[in-house]
Amino acid sequence: MAVSLQVLYPVGEGTTFDHAYYASTHMDLVGEHMGPHMVSAQASKGLAGGPNVPSPFHAIATILFEDQAAMDAAMGAAGPVMADIPNFTNVQPQIMIGEVMS
């Protein structure tokens, strides 16, 4: 069964997020270190939470894996990816691991 890893960076008072660094340097690190285990990865920049509502997230990354074993292997290789987080944000990311339903 396919598994997804979503990394959410919530907006909050005093939070910072460098979208240019995230889109280029950080996502390149994701591909370099976790890529051999992934099916796909995408990152979305938060624009809105609805009509006339600011986005609750700076960004959300969604990474798909063929199965739990592939995600476990990717997470085992993710040390440099995790160490890079302070280079683009002061946010503590939220994580959701899910079973892909469609």
Side-chain angles (χ1 to χ4, degrees):
M1 135 190 53
V3 174
S4 68
L5 169 66
Q6 293 182 310
V7 184
L8 304 91
Y9 298 91
V11 170
E13 187 175 329
T15 61
T16 60
F17 197 95
D18 183 340
H19 288 280
Y21 183 97
Y22 179 72
S24 60
T25 305
H26 186 72
M27 290 307 290
D28 284 350
L29 284 173
V30 170
E32 178 183 344
H33 295 282
M34 300 172 72
H37 311 288
M38 300 179 332
V39 171
S40 66
Q42 73 175 40
S44 300
K45 178 179 178 179
L47 298 178
N52 302 314
V53 177
S55 176
F57 299 101
H58 292 285
I60 298 175
T62 301
I63 305 172
L64 298 178
F65 302 95
E66 187 173 306
D67 54 28
Q68 183 68 47
M71 190 187 84
D72 292 344
M75 294 308 292
V81 175
M82 302 300 288
D84 186 54
I85 293 171
N87 292 325
F88 63 90
T89 188
N90 63 354
V91 173
Q92 175 66 44
Q94 298 175 357
I95 305 294
M96 186 184 101
I97 297 168
E99 176 183 332
V100 176
M101 297 171 50
S102 63

